[in-house]
Amino acid sequence: MFMTISTTGTAEKPATDLGFLLHKHPQRAQAFSTSHGTAHVLYPEATPERCTAALLLEVDPVALVRRGQGRGRGGAPDAALAQYVNDRPYAASSLFAVALGTVFRSALNARCAARPELPDRPRPLRIEVPVLPARGGPELVRGLFGPLGWSAVEVTPVPLDTRFPEWGDSRYVRLVLEGELRLADALRHLYVLLPVLDGSKHYWVAPDEVDKLLRAGDGWLAAHPEHGLITSRYLARSKRLTQDAMERLELVRLAESDGSEVEEIDNATTDDADTTGADGADGADGRRVPLARQRREAVLGALRAAGAHRVLDLGCGQGQLLHDLLKDVSFTEIVGVDVSVRALTTASRRLRLEQLGERQSGRVRLLQGSLAYTDKRLAGYDAAVLSEVIEHLDLPRLPALEYAVFGAARPRTVLVTTPNVEYNVRWETLPAGEVRHSDHRFEWTRAEFRDWARRTAERHGYRVEFAPVGPQDPEVGPPTQMAVFTLADPSTGPTTGPTTGSHLDSVPKEDAAA
């Protein structure tokens, strides 16, 4: 199995920077042992103007069979022969994808210790895979790589036998990709799509494959027109794993639907009194305080009042609240959770985690996860915050979040903030009947929010109180409403599983349909 990665450069930005990105020196040929063979990295050319790195994987098909990784299925004679006579040593497949992830791990994760600025720079790339299985034909190959930002996707069928052209083409193609992309993105495309095109994997597909898929597919898979086919094939057509992945991809799609921050109106406010509008409140210096900041201050005040020291920020987004929590030494353990790897990356940069001292960095962790699923990592904390999160879920999925947080994780205190839809009439820039953000699945009145909160508290053994956030309007209330849940009996364990539909009684039919 063979692949080349080429790039061009100048004296100021030499092509040999590829060596830094791949973490492999251009003047050395290196070999790496894998569970299924030996991977070699070498550079056929390395000048400031042009640099090419090659990855060669030598596979022993007999060793694969002996380790149980190439065992045929069924009792047909050709099935037994296929264990030893096959395309595994020659055609890029899941074997090659695993080697790619192992040998180029730093590049795949967009890390470069020597030149940390390089991974985020798009650069001209040319990637060639001489022999690639194409279950679905050349058109499927183009359909998979075409939407990913490559300027050219060249797919050439490999003849079955050049001496007998009348036999036609084989099921293999030569693939050449050209375009200006980040190297990490290019490698992630290959890491996912090589086994997809092969249509099989050489190892047992376990539930952690869903996490691998979402990490490698971050930023492109959720919006890909063939994301269903990619997900199913990558997960070896496991119905259970595919359904899990598709549900989590939908959450990613909703979280990143327009690439903007979650609370478009709230966070767009400035300190300029002439442009702030109804959302701001006057600060001590006479300037307007954005609602987003008022909300964070209200959350911090409620956490301090609850005596919380170990705090979860669920749906932490780009880390604004995490940044404020980290500045307060009374919060000894801070965990941010989000379904979007891209948002967590931004949060990490906002917090400057790589520059923090050992004591500070030991106080904060970032976890990728979906709030629609129970997660043992989230149990045992003093408090959890769901700030402007619930309105981004479809209503039928809200009971799953309720159980994951209130039923399974069961922190002593839970803070939930959400927009007050009654206040929307005070936004001069918001058309009548529109929600505050295009990704909001619903926005509740004060009565609807209190009804949901009381039902949730009763179901899971919590008490609940309510507090306004932002300026109180005598007619329509505050712009943001907050519920403070307190565990009635901290010694109780997890409650029963999620229910469906019970929280919809107080929701208007048009909102439920949305």
Side-chain angles (χ1 to χ4, degrees):
M1 282 179 270
F2 193 70
M3 179 187 75
T4 58
I5 305 171
S6 301
T7 187
T8 56
T10 62
E12 293 75 20
K13 296 181 179 179
T16 47
D17 282 348
L18 183 63
F20 287 102
L21 287 167
L22 294 176
H23 211 263
K24 305 292 180 290
H25 199 288
Q27 295 181 6
R28 294 174 56 195
Q30 297 176 266
F32 305 86
S33 295
T34 71
S35 59
H36 44 266
T38 303
H40 302 268
V41 178
L42 55 140
Y43 288 78
E45 56 182 341
T47 67
E49 292 74 30
R50 183 174 177 83
C51 185
T52 298
L55 176 63
L56 170 67
L57 179 62
E58 292 183 298
V59 173
D60 182 352
V62 176
L64 276 178
V65 175
R66 289 173 177 170
R67 284 193 294 267
Q69 295 176 316
R71 186 175 296 132
R73 296 181 180 180
D78 59 339
L81 180 62
Q83 297 180 68
Y84 297 95
V85 182
N86 53 53
D87 64 0
R88 299 297 87 176
Y90 313 107
S93 63
S94 62
L95 292 165
F96 198 72
V98 170
L100 192 74
T102 302
V103 177
F104 294 150
R105 183 182 302 276
S106 295
L108 199 68
N109 292 324
R111 292 199 306 263
C112 180
R115 300 279 299 280
E117 77 282 359
L118 287 181
D120 287 333
R121 291 179 184 171
R123 62 185 309 113
L125 295 173
R126 185 183 190 275
I127 294 179
E128 180 178 350
V129 183
V131 183
L132 176 66
R135 295 185 187 275
E139 288 305 315
L140 178 61
V141 181
R142 296 186 186 96
L144 293 180
F145 286 97
L148 297 178
W150 296 96
S151 57
V153 179
E154 180 185 332
V155 184
T156 307
V158 175
L160 198 59
D161 192 319
T162 55
R163 296 172 299 173
F164 303 97
E166 65 273 15
W167 288 3
D169 296 327
S170 67
R171 69 178 185 90
Y172 302 94
V173 299
R174 171 180 173 266
L175 173 66
V176 177
L177 302 170
E178 292 185 350
E180 190 160 326
L181 287 81
R182 296 194 319 155
L183 179 62
D185 295 331
L187 293 178
R188 288 169 185 170
H189 298 166
L190 294 165
Y191 181 82
V192 172
L193 296 180
L194 291 183
V196 166
L197 286 166
D198 184 41
S200 64
K201 285 197 170 183
H202 68 282
Y203 57 87
W204 176 257
V205 176
D208 64 346
E209 289 294 296
V210 176
D211 295 326
K212 293 180 185 178
L213 174 63
L214 295 183
R215 284 196 297 269
D218 180 54
W220 63 270
L221 181 55
H224 197 291
E226 297 290 349
H227 67 277
L229 180 144
I230 294 170
T231 301
S232 176
R233 284 196 179 187
Y234 185 88
L235 298 171
R237 296 179 173 82
S238 166
K239 291 183 179 179
R240 179 175 62 85
L241 296 181
T242 299
Q243 181 180 0
D244 181 10
M246 292 295 288
E247 289 176 351
R248 291 172 64 178
L249 281 172
E250 177 65 11
L251 292 176
V252 172
R253 188 190 66 79
L254 295 176
E256 300 179 346
S257 57
D258 62 0
S260 66
E261 298 216 1
V262 172
E263 291 305 306
E264 201 166 56
I265 290 181
D266 295 351
N267 294 335
T269 60
T270 70
D271 287 335
D272 186 345
D274 293 333
T275 60
T276 297
D279 63 308
D282 290 331
D285 58 0
R287 293 185 175 185
R288 292 284 199 171
V289 178
L291 178 57
R293 191 189 308 169
Q294 296 180 60
R295 185 167 51 243
R296 293 197 298 273
E297 291 173 352
V299 167
L300 290 168
L303 290 172
R304 295 184 185 110
H309 300 292
R310 302 174 65 242
V311 179
L312 298 168
D313 184 3
L314 304 178
C316 64
Q318 300 179 351
Q320 291 91 334
L321 178 61
L322 294 173
H323 183 267
D324 291 346
L325 289 167
L326 193 58
K327 291 191 293 186
D328 189 331
V329 294
S330 67
F331 300 114
T332 57
E333 185 175 352
I334 305 160
V335 178
V337 182
D338 205 279
V339 71
S340 169
V341 177
R342 180 178 298 179
L344 292 174
T345 300
T346 303
S348 177
R349 290 172 179 165
R350 180 188 296 274
L351 300 174
R352 300 180 179 178
L353 292 185
E354 295 184 355
Q355 302 175 28
L356 293 178
E358 184 176 351
R359 179 176 297 180
Q360 281 286 79
S361 62
R363 292 173 54 212
V364 61
R365 284 190 299 152
L366 300 178
L367 303 176
Q368 193 273 338
S370 168
L371 302 181
Y373 299 90
T374 59
D375 191 335
K376 293 180 180 179
R377 298 174 298 175
L378 307 184
Y381 284 82
D382 298 334
V385 179
L386 290 159
S387 182
E388 312 302 288
V389 171
I390 62 172
E391 64 272 13
H392 293 270
L393 289 179
D394 288 314
L395 284 167
R397 297 189 62 83
L398 196 52
L401 177 144
E402 293 170 14
Y403 176 69
V405 176
F406 296 93
R410 294 186 71 73
R412 290 206 312 266
T413 301
V414 181
L415 306 181
V416 179
T417 73
T418 193
N420 168 22
V421 70
E422 297 167 87
Y423 193 89
N424 286 358
V425 297
R426 298 293 186 258
W427 301 101
E428 295 181 1
T429 59
L430 185 64
E434 294 289 330
V435 293
R436 298 186 192 179
H437 188 278
S438 59
D439 188 40
H440 285 187
R441 320 310 285 179
F442 62 87
E443 288 180 355
W444 278 336
T445 64
R446 287 168 290 175
E448 289 167 346
F449 178 58
R450 292 186 176 217
D451 184 62
W452 168 81
R454 287 169 178 147
R455 288 171 181 265
T456 301
E458 181 180 359
R459 185 178 302 120
H460 297 289
Y462 282 79
R463 299 186 299 270
V464 63
E465 298 177 349
F466 302 92
V469 178
Q472 276 272 31
D473 186 284
E475 296 180 1
V476 296
T480 296
Q481 42 195 341
M482 180 168 70
V484 181
F485 297 83
T486 306
L487 193 60
D489 183 1
S491 64
T492 57
T495 59
T496 57
T499 59
T500 57
S502 59
H503 67 287
L504 298 178
D505 298 343
S506 64
V507 181
K509 291 182 179 179
E510 58 269 24
D511 286 340

